[in-house]
Amino acid sequence: MRILVIEDEQKVARALKEGLTHEGYQVDLAFSGEEGFYLLSTTQYDLLLLDLMLPGRDGLEILKSVRKQGMTFPVLVLTARDTVEDRVKGLDSGADDYLVKPFAFAELLARIRVLLRRGRSEQNLRLLLADLEMDLVTRKVKRGGTEIPLTAREFDLLELLLRHQGQIVSREMIAKEVWQEVDRATPIDNLIDVHIARLRRKIDDPFAKKLIHTIRGVGFVFSEEAP
Ligand code: CA
């Protein structure tokens, strides 16, 4: 497995190369966007580790060109800018995952392993809406930077809502996807409503902006604006 690291801080880049090489990966380093882009156009990589803050062509620009040219390998973005907007921009521009600096090397390795295993079959290891963030690797949910403990069922329910944000999610869909319940002879609508209420208490009640909206008689919409 061959990884390209584009990172202008040479000390960081060399430490990454040393650690990843030790794990058995083949690693090339580029200290600028231009250098990185040249390597990308001449060598086949399985994964790109991309720093966002680069002199000259910055990480987001590189990311956009990479995807525009149809390169499909997973991209893990490294960012020092710990703001939701930058993460959303990164994911919108075609990143599969990101890590905020400073990070633990063990976490980087775990994320690289998952990305290489998944390839591009399933995008994004994190789901975002407004200041709510779901990490599918650690199964942690945060809102406004504060971790919100969820049960496994609540997590699955929220994941479904996040994956279909802005669309109507019916109780039937929830029954099927979250409870694997396809037999409508035994409706579990009450059970679903109880779980939605619990989720609401955890992720909406403490915050001014509500994300879960009920569409009477139909289902729910997960969005920043009330539908
Ligand atoms: Ca940098």
Side-chain angles (χ1 to χ4, degrees):
M1 289 288 182
R2 197 169 188 133
I3 297 177
L4 175 63
V5 178
I6 307 181
E7 161 67 270
D8 61 310
E9 283 163 76
Q10 305 210 358
K11 224 175 111 190
V12 177
R14 295 220 162 82
L16 285 171
K17 178 169 181 168
E18 198 186 314
L20 291 170
T21 306
H22 187 74
E23 294 296 315
Y25 297 109
Q26 269 184 285
V27 182
D28 291 334
L29 294 184
F31 301 121
S32 70
E34 287 75 16
E35 215 181 314
F37 211 76
Y38 172 74
L39 285 172
L40 283 171
S41 57
T42 52
T43 315
Q44 196 86 27
Y45 289 101
D46 299 295
L47 185 136
L48 169 61
L49 207 55
L50 177 65
D51 183 33
L52 276 194
M53 292 280 258
L54 295 167
R57 268 175 109 167
D58 81 356
L60 281 179
E61 259 179 81
I62 293 169
L63 189 53
K64 280 181 204 150
S65 327
V66 157
R67 293 307 188 214
K68 216 154 123 198
Q69 300 196 10
M71 300 184 205
T72 56
F73 45 72
V75 177
L76 202 166
V77 154
L78 303 176
T79 175
R81 301 181 287 188
D82 188 14
T83 69
V84 172
E85 286 95 293
D86 285 321
R87 295 181 221 178
V88 174
K89 250 189 254 161
L91 293 176
D92 281 351
S93 306
D96 298 272
D97 197 8
Y98 63 84
L99 265 180
V100 176
K101 293 174 174 179
F103 49 83
F105 189 69
E107 184 175 3
L108 175 71
L109 279 182
R111 292 186 176 280
I112 287 177
R113 265 187 234 115
V114 175
L115 283 174
L116 287 174
R117 208 162 45 228
R118 286 199 183 190
R120 293 282 296 168
S121 57
E122 253 181 285
Q123 293 187 2
N124 293 355
L125 300 180
R126 300 184 200 246
L127 301 171
L128 304 165
L129 179 69
D131 56 351
L132 183 127
E133 172 185 353
M134 167 176 277
D135 186 325
L136 298 170
V137 175
T138 58
R139 289 184 68 86
K140 282 185 180 154
V141 171
K142 285 183 189 169
R143 187 150 184 205
T146 306
E147 196 180 325
I148 300 171
L150 296 182
T151 64
R153 195 75 88 178
E154 288 162 358
F155 184 94
D156 293 345
L157 180 56
L158 182 60
E159 183 182 346
L160 181 72
L161 292 171
L162 265 165
R163 285 195 187 280
H164 295 89
Q165 54 187 263
Q167 306 162 11
I168 294 176
V169 175
S170 65
R171 289 187 178 79
E172 205 164 350
M173 205 166 145
I174 294 172
K176 197 169 142 234
E177 299 292 330
V178 180
W179 273 268
Q180 276 79 48
E181 186 72 61
V182 283
D183 183 7
R184 296 296 291 167
T186 54
I188 55 166
D189 292 8
N190 284 342
L191 192 58
I192 290 170
D193 289 350
V194 166
H195 278 78
I196 288 281
R198 276 191 206 149
L199 202 52
R200 225 178 217 145
R201 234 171 2 246
K202 290 183 180 181
I203 65 155
D204 265 352
D205 285 1
F207 301 91
K209 185 182 264 180
K210 310 302 175 198
L211 300 176
I212 301 176
H213 309 281
T214 303
I215 311 290
R216 206 167 280 282
V218 184
F220 309 93
V221 172
F222 200 62
S223 64
E224 282 191 67
E225 308 294 331

